[in-house]
Amino acid sequence: MASYLRSLLITGLLTTYATLTAAQKSGSGITTRYWDCCKPSCAWNDLETLGIQSAVKTCDAQDQLLTDATAMSGCNGGTAFMCSGQSPWAVSTDLAYGFAAISVSKPSCCQCYQLTFTSGAISGKKMIVQATNTGADLTATQFDIAIPGAGYGIFDGCSTEWSATTSIWGAQYGGSSTNTCSSFPSALQPGCSFRWDWFQGTDNPTVDWEEVSCPAAITDKSGCVKIGDSPTDSSSVSSIAVASSSTAAATSSSAMASSSIPSSSAEPTTTSFAAAHSFSDSASSEASTPVPSASSASAASSSITTIDASASASSTGSSSYMSSVVTTTTSSAPEPTETDDDDDTCEL
């Protein structure tokens, strides 16, 4: 009897462990947005500590790739900044790729996550993001999506990197409340437009998330692969997009059959320094513009730009670092009450 009870106990413990492990691989969460231009946390050369095969790429103030992973962040007087090539882009009408910051309390550099949006105008769409940065103010299930013009938070590295005035970026948290992308440096305009096109101006949508292998199109941009991960090829990407479209079509057909109420950009390329750092005469001055609430978020553009899943990825990518980001943890911050980005990304 004792042996039998011991077996039951061990089985129960193993089942509980398996359940907890599985829970760490998927769940529900929230999203915010940011773009501070600082060197990301996963861009340093302590690869073993970060659990990565190579560091995330960074760029200098001319948006040119740096080869020195020890270069200090431009947000701390150094020369390393986020590259424009780390902007998000649309793969299809229902699938996009990009990068994000995650909680510093649970660092997982260069892990990819598939986000299925569950609220707002983009509910049902999917986005695969790679974690290239961390933030002490982010919760364990929060994804701070990197989008140019989405708010620089505590650290404004963008004005230094792009020789711009702070006002052009919009509000410190959340960025501009309207599409002012035409006033941005040309290298940032495609990524900025993503927010108003594919993302439909949705304000901090909720998500269901799960860990996935990174698509090669993402790791080609960031230069970073997590130890043990094998990037997927374009055929796998196409399968995800097709599955997403099929699910949406099936849902639509079901809704029509039951007479129920229906449920609710081109990839950036590297430009010359002169072109990338040029501004239009209509620079934004919305630094104090409040971020719209989730209930009032709406699409600013009905057009959606897509790219072929097999299109070649730009070689530029970037990231930002917080000192002792891996070895030092902080108490979990409460979920944000503002519809903002983070403050998270820049390190000291």
Side-chain angles (χ1 to χ4, degrees):
M1 176 62 75
S3 177
Y4 174 71
L5 291 176
R6 185 166 58 251
S7 296
L8 285 179
L9 177 60
I10 293 175
T11 300
L13 290 173
L14 289 175
T15 301
T16 301
Y17 174 76
T19 301
L20 291 174
T21 300
Q24 295 173 354
K25 303 293 185 180
S26 63
S28 297
I30 60 174
T31 64
T32 44
R33 59 184 183 267
Y34 85 100
W35 187 273
D36 61 9
C37 298
C38 301
K39 178 178 180 176
S41 304
C42 303
W44 294 80
N45 63 345
D46 44 347
L47 306 182
E48 184 176 351
T49 301
L50 294 175
I52 54 179
Q53 299 177 35
S54 58
V56 172
K57 299 172 183 176
T58 58
C59 286
D60 60 21
Q62 287 72 46
D63 202 32
Q64 300 300 306
L65 286 175
L66 290 175
T67 58
D68 182 9
T70 66
M72 293 299 295
S73 172
C75 292
N76 192 35
T79 58
F81 297 91
M82 181 183 289
C83 299
S84 64
Q86 205 170 351
S87 298
W89 74 99
V91 175
S92 71
T93 56
D94 297 312
L95 178 67
Y97 287 166
F99 305 88
I102 60 175
S103 175
V104 70
S105 65
K106 297 181 67 175
S108 188
C109 273
C110 299
Q111 172 66 54
C112 279
Y113 301 87
Q114 179 173 281
L115 309 180
T116 300
F117 297 103
T118 56
S119 68
I122 59 173
S123 181
K125 287 188 175 185
K126 298 180 185 294
M127 184 175 187
I128 297 180
V129 296
Q130 184 180 47
T132 54
N133 210 353
T134 58
D137 62 329
L138 302 180
T139 64
T141 58
Q142 181 177 353
F143 298 88
D144 208 19
I145 302 174
I147 306 176
Y152 53 82
I154 288 180
F155 303 99
D156 175 16
C158 297
S159 296
T160 300
E161 181 181 9
W162 298 98
S163 300
T165 57
T166 300
S167 62
I168 192 176
W169 312 119
Q172 180 178 2
Y173 295 99
S176 176
S177 60
T178 58
N179 187 344
T180 59
C181 300
S182 61
S183 66
F184 280 27
S186 59
L188 297 180
Q189 290 181 17
C192 174
S193 296
F194 170 88
R195 178 182 166 197
W196 307 106
D197 294 340
W198 191 93
F199 212 73
Q200 297 180 247
T202 307
D203 194 46
N204 298 351
T206 55
V207 293
D208 288 332
W209 61 271
E210 61 178 312
E211 293 184 3
V212 295
S213 292
C214 290
I218 288 181
T219 57
D220 285 348
K221 279 179 171 287
S222 70
C224 186
V225 177
K226 183 180 178 181
I227 292 176
D229 191 21
S230 298
T232 57
D233 58 21
S234 58
S235 61
S236 298
V237 173
S238 299
S239 298
I240 294 174
V242 170
S244 177
S245 298
S246 299
T247 300
T251 301
S252 177
S253 298
S254 176
M256 292 177 63
S258 61
S259 300
S260 61
I261 300 174
S263 60
S264 51
S265 96
E267 182 180 358
T269 56
T270 303
T271 61
S272 66
F273 170 62
H277 287 66
S278 62
F279 294 84
S280 73
D281 294 331
S282 58
S284 168
S285 59
E286 300 184 39
S288 60
T289 302
V291 181
S293 65
S295 61
S296 65
S298 62
S301 172
S302 60
S303 62
I304 297 178
T305 305
T306 62
I307 62 169
D308 190 298
S310 62
S312 60
S314 168
S315 62
T316 59
S318 90
S319 96
S320 144
Y321 188 78
M322 186 173 294
S323 63
S324 303
V325 64
V326 175
T327 57
T328 302
T329 59
T330 62
S331 59
S332 297
E335 290 193 2
T337 55
E338 299 288 337
T339 55
D340 64 310
D341 68 327
D342 64 341
D343 62 57
D344 60 279
T345 58
C346 206
E347 66 302 331
L348 303 176

